[in-house]
Amino acid sequence: TWEFSYRELRGQRRPVDQSTAHRADQEPTADSSHGVLIMVAPEQSPSEFDVEDLLTWVKQGNYLLYLDNFPYHASRRLLNKISMDVRNLEPPLHDKASDPVFRDPLYAHLRTVKISANQSLKGGRPIATVDGIAIISEQNEGKGKILIGSCPSLIDNRHLGNSESWSNFQFIHNWLDTTDGDIIFDERCHGATQGISVYYYFLKGPA
């Protein structure tokens, strides 16, 4: 369970054991998390200092997968920091098939993904588009990278039973294959529930 500030990703400096402080190996160390953080449609957008902590962690060689609607200025704080923006789509996309040719060879063998989105993305490197309009893009930040999508329902529960949507999950799987370290699911902003997390559900199977 992750119930701490994003600055915890970078770890806490542990104090030196004073009883062995004379030893050369007794340097203050930090327990940091390395890997990819997955954020999907947070009910509360990251604050300014949250964004700073997240970007500092990514620049150290970590990864962020961030899917959201980005409806308000406050929800675009991270986009603003990485020189990305959104544009409203009229009409919005609803279960629209992406363009059949992904712009990255890593995904060339995939079928089209199903996308619902209210905004398009401007900036970054487009990966998945609809009618040439970017919906999912990637941005390098320091030693790490961020995958941004204006389609938070890309891998939601309703797609699980629809085989035509399984390529959505394959797309995310392929991107995760380009990362390393732990996979951390950010549930901090989604409140408490008595239900079983979908992540625990999948861990009972081949995952």
Side-chain angles (χ1 to χ4, degrees), residues 106-126:
L106 177 68
Y107 314 102
H109 71 286
L110 286 178
R111 297 170 293 176
T112 59
V113 297
K114 283 188 174 293
I115 290 177
S116 297
N118 294 325
Q119 292 96 11
S120 62
L121 294 175
K122 181 180 179 182
R125 182 170 62 89

Side-chain angles (χ1 to χ4, degrees), residues 132-205:
I133 299 171
I135 305 298
I136 302 174
S137 295
E138 189 177 73
Q139 177 88 352
N140 293 329
E141 289 293 323
K143 298 178 181 179
K145 62 182 178 180
I146 303 174
L147 186 72
I148 296 283
S150 58
C151 47
S153 63
L154 183 71
I155 49 174
D156 66 6
N157 290 354
R158 68 188 179 90
H159 288 304
L160 291 174
N162 182 3
S163 61
E164 294 181 358
S165 300
W166 288 351
S167 57
N168 290 22
F169 298 91
Q170 186 67 51
F171 168 76
I172 296 299
H173 180 280
N174 284 24
W175 186 81
L176 289 173
D177 268 353
T178 69
T179 69
D180 62 344
D182 295 330
I183 299 176
I184 305 167
F185 296 98
D186 179 11
E187 289 294 293
R188 185 181 73 129
C189 300
H190 288 161
T193 176
Q194 297 300 315
I196 297 175
S197 167
V198 66
Y199 311 122
Y200 288 109
Y201 174 83
F202 277 117
L203 287 174
K204 294 179 180 179

